[in-house]
Amino acid sequence: MTALMKIQTFIQAYAQAISSILESDVTVVDNELIRVAGTGNYAAEVGTTIAHAKFFNRILETGESGIITNVEQDPNCIDCEKRAFCKELADLAYPIFKNGAVVGVISIVAFEEKQRENLLKNRAKLEEFLKYMTMLLESKLYTAEARDRLEQQLQVVNDDKKGWSFVGKSKKMQEAIAIGRKVAKSDSTVFLRGESGTGKEIMAKMIHDLSQRRDKLMISINCAAIPENLVESELFGYEEGAFTGAKKKGAIGKFELADKSTIFLDEIGDMPLHVQTKLLRVLQERKLERIGGHKPIPIDIRVICATNKDIEQMVKEGTFREDLYYRLNIIPIELPPLRKRKEDIPALVEYYIPYYNQKLNKHIQGVSTEVLQTMVNYNWPGNVRELKNIVEYLSNIVEEDEVQLSDLPDHIVLRSAKGYDAWSLEKIMEEYEKRVLSNMLKEETSLEDKERLADTLQISRATLYRKLKKHHLL
């Protein structure tokens, strides 16, 4: 497919707009001489190969504009098979460029004597007009190319993480999933609420993958990760020369990139107030303007946003627009923290151990009863993300088939509500002693190192060796 044919719908609308302004018919062909767009007599011939190939071929080869002032006498028309019954009286054509190469031709066609007279009389002005029209088309071609390239890059990333999955059967999580499934088919805005690490992005992917927009990539943007002065340009794009340092030809924004798809605005509570104002207008009008632009661009998107902040409190404090809050909070979905769905912890541990076994080429069979009890009783402030990180840590350091309590990081055990439940004080002290010695003891420690360690701990070398032997650390 040629570059022009990739944006055929846009070019057809473009040709119709020019035709209305000039009160003459307009046609566009690509470098394979296929009619990409046409008005009037040529509207029904879009997608077919043109007849007057010699004239357009010369423009494609030379990159220079041309004109046919009289079909009956012009040399370009002598060999045309449709010359005898051609309805064209005159034709002014201009090349369309991309990266310095001619990719097509746009022409103004006169089918009436009055149109022909106007075309010949105002040739210079019309040629200048077509020059600027082709420059706008070239800009659109660059935008389309950038969008295709970015979609390809996103596809590579998504191929590795395609799909979504929720582990566990807790009631609160199943209720959230059920709501997400119900609303997936609609285009209503979804507002995901929950602490960091509870699975808001996974829920967004699920909703998109079950929607009618699933054939296009969901565009995700973390509002907290973008410098405040760049948020607006990242979301809405900008035109060439919009600000110092702006790229030549401008840049497409994430909203425009998400046309016909879903945009996921993560950490929307961190969006600056001035950008909130523009976002509200875009959501209301379903149109946007790039920075430095003056032409509204229609968009067809489904919005999913997420936050871990108290948005209602932010509204009261004036740091989040109330009207935007009501525009976004159409379908709120609350994702519970892991401490409120602890019945899912065993299933999560069981899910991630084989995952990291395969990824790290390990062979851990599971965790001990003490380890599982400790993990269940820990509050997991980082939620599922923290649990996943801990399992990855264990997969890296554990050499045995089963994870033991001594393998868990200190903060997990010490902050677990019942980490040492049913343990005697002596056993707790022994476990802690083993942890201290394990952390301080280097692998293949020399005799001198052990002597220094005994001095550091203020115990005799014999006592140190006895403790190391008891804890199987020799």
Side-chain angles (χ1 to χ4, degrees):
M1 184 181 291
T2 62
L4 291 177
M5 196 58 80
K6 286 181 179 179
I7 58 169
Q8 190 276 330
T9 304
F10 172 83
I11 294 179
Q12 179 62 37
Y14 196 71
Q16 288 171 339
I18 296 174
S19 176
S20 298
I21 294 170
L22 300 181
E23 296 182 347
S24 292
D25 284 316
V26 175
T27 190
V28 177
V29 302
D30 62 19
N31 52 3
E32 294 181 0
L33 298 175
I34 296 174
R35 200 179 304 278
V36 178
T39 66
N41 293 335
Y42 289 137
E45 296 185 17
V46 172
T48 62
T49 303
I50 64 169
H52 40 295
K54 189 175 181 179
F55 175 51
F56 280 177
N57 253 331
R58 181 172 62 79
I59 294 171
L60 289 169
E61 290 170 2
T62 64
E64 297 177 356
S65 61
I67 187 169
I68 294 176
T69 59
N70 189 321
V71 171
E72 293 182 359
Q73 300 176 2
D74 197 288
N76 289 294
C77 301
I78 292 175
D79 300 326
C80 179
E81 60 183 21
K82 294 186 178 181
R83 180 187 177 195
F85 48 90
C86 181
K87 295 181 180 179
E88 287 189 13
L89 299 181
D91 192 335
L92 175 64
Y94 202 93
I96 302 169
F97 293 91
K98 179 176 178 284
N99 295 327
V102 183
V103 295
V105 178
I106 183 171
S107 73
I108 304 170
V109 186
F111 288 103
E112 299 174 4
E113 186 57 40
K114 184 178 179 182
Q115 293 174 333
R116 178 177 174 275
E117 290 175 3
N118 182 63
L119 190 152
L120 297 178
K121 179 181 178 182
N122 298 295
R123 175 181 174 179
K125 289 182 180 179
L126 290 174
E127 221 176 292
E128 186 75 3
F129 176 77
L130 286 182
K131 173 185 174 181
Y132 287 107
M133 292 301 98
T134 59
M135 288 173 65
L136 289 173
L137 273 179
E138 184 178 6
S139 176
K140 181 65 178 178
L141 288 170
Y142 283 120
T143 300
E145 183 182 55
R147 176 173 178 158
D148 288 344
R149 186 165 56 248
L150 184 53
E151 281 198 353
Q152 290 170 4
Q153 293 169 349
L154 289 170
Q155 185 66 58
V156 171
V157 174
N158 268 19
D159 283 345
D160 187 45
K161 299 181 178 179
K162 199 168 184 179
W164 43 266
S165 62
F166 290 99
V167 179
K169 301 291 184 182
S170 64
K171 183 179 178 181
K172 289 182 179 293
M173 197 65 198
Q174 290 304 311
E175 288 174 353
I177 294 171
I179 296 172
R181 287 180 176 275
K182 285 180 182 178
V183 305
K185 300 299 181 184
S186 80
D187 281 337
S188 298
T189 302
V190 177
F191 203 164
L192 303 177
R193 310 288 294 273
E195 297 175 7
S196 179
T198 51
K200 297 187 291 296
E201 186 170 3
I202 296 175
M203 177 66 76
K205 287 180 180 178
M206 183 196 83
I207 293 171
H208 174 72
D209 288 348
L210 295 177
S211 75
Q212 296 178 352
R213 299 170 181 265
R214 59 183 172 272
D215 291 338
K216 294 184 71 68
L217 291 172
M218 180 179 81
I219 306 302
S220 300
I221 185 166
N222 189 326
C223 301
I226 307 172
E228 184 173 335
N229 60 327
L230 296 179
V231 174
E232 188 174 356
S233 61
E234 280 289 319
L235 290 178
F236 308 116
Y238 58 85
E239 298 290 356
E240 180 179 352
F243 49 83
T244 303
K247 292 180 181 178
K248 190 177 181 181
K249 307 298 181 184
I252 187 172
K254 294 295 192 297
F255 267 80
E256 202 173 338
L257 185 64
D259 188 38
K260 305 292 189 298
S261 185
T262 303
I263 189 165
F264 175 52
L265 302 174
D266 199 7
E267 306 297 351
I268 196 166
D270 291 280
M271 181 176 286
L273 272 171
H274 73 279
V275 182
Q276 292 179 29
T277 303
K278 187 164 184 177
L279 173 61
L280 178 64
R281 187 166 64 250
V282 169
L283 295 178
Q284 288 173 336
E285 300 175 0
R286 296 292 163 170
K287 295 179 182 178
L288 63 84
E289 285 186 12
R290 297 181 187 174
I291 299 174
H294 305 287
K295 179 183 176 182
I297 301 171
I299 53 170
D300 173 17
I301 57 171
R302 201 262 177 88
V303 177
I304 302 176
C305 55
T307 186
N308 59 6
K309 295 189 173 183
D310 186 344
I311 291 291
E312 290 78 11
Q313 183 61 35
M314 293 180 67
V315 170
K316 290 179 182 178
E317 294 171 354
T319 55
F320 198 87
R321 289 184 62 107
E322 185 176 19
D323 45 6
L324 178 60
Y325 166 74
Y326 288 118
R327 173 67 63 174
L328 296 174
N329 198 41
I330 296 173
I331 302 175
I333 300 179
E334 187 78 27
L335 276 73
L338 190 53
R339 63 180 175 276
K340 291 187 179 180
R341 47 181 286 229
K342 289 192 172 185
E343 61 268 41
D344 289 342
I345 291 176
L348 286 163
V349 173
E350 188 176 336
Y351 173 82
Y352 283 121
I353 285 179
Y355 172 82
Y356 283 112
N357 276 344
Q358 183 178 12
K359 192 172 183 179
L360 303 173
N361 194 25
K362 301 298 285 286
H363 304 283
I364 298 173
Q365 300 300 310
V367 302
S368 70
T369 303
E370 294 168 335
V371 168
L372 189 58
Q373 186 62 46
T374 300
M375 295 179 82
V376 168
N377 288 301
Y378 178 62
N379 268 338
W380 299 105
N383 294 295
V384 178
R385 185 181 295 126
E386 183 185 6
L387 184 144
K388 181 181 178 183
N389 291 345
I390 291 299
V391 176
E392 183 176 4
Y393 161 80
L394 293 171
S395 299
N396 276 281
I397 68 159
V398 173
E399 299 295 338
E400 305 298 328
D401 291 341
E402 187 177 73
V403 178
Q404 301 298 323
L405 194 61
S406 58
D407 298 318
L408 284 176
D410 289 344
H411 74 277
I412 299 290
V413 179
L414 297 176
R415 294 178 187 173
S416 177
K418 297 181 181 179
Y420 294 117
D421 194 31
W423 282 34
S424 66
L425 178 61
E426 181 181 2
K427 190 175 181 181
I428 294 173
M429 296 300 290
E430 285 183 357
E431 175 64 27
Y432 190 70
E433 182 180 78
K434 180 180 179 180
R435 286 174 174 275
V436 172
L437 291 173
S438 296
N439 290 333
M440 298 184 73
L441 196 66
K442 300 176 183 177
E443 291 184 9
E444 301 178 4
T445 308
S446 66
L447 180 62
E448 291 78 8
D449 291 332
K450 288 188 175 69
E451 287 180 352
R452 280 194 292 270
L453 179 57
D455 291 339
T456 300
L457 296 172
Q458 299 180 23
I459 57 176
S460 68
R461 187 169 52 177
T463 300
L464 175 62
Y465 273 89
R466 188 173 66 253
K467 290 181 179 295
L468 293 177
K469 184 177 181 180
K470 181 177 70 173
H471 297 305
H472 305 289
L473 297 175
L474 277 177

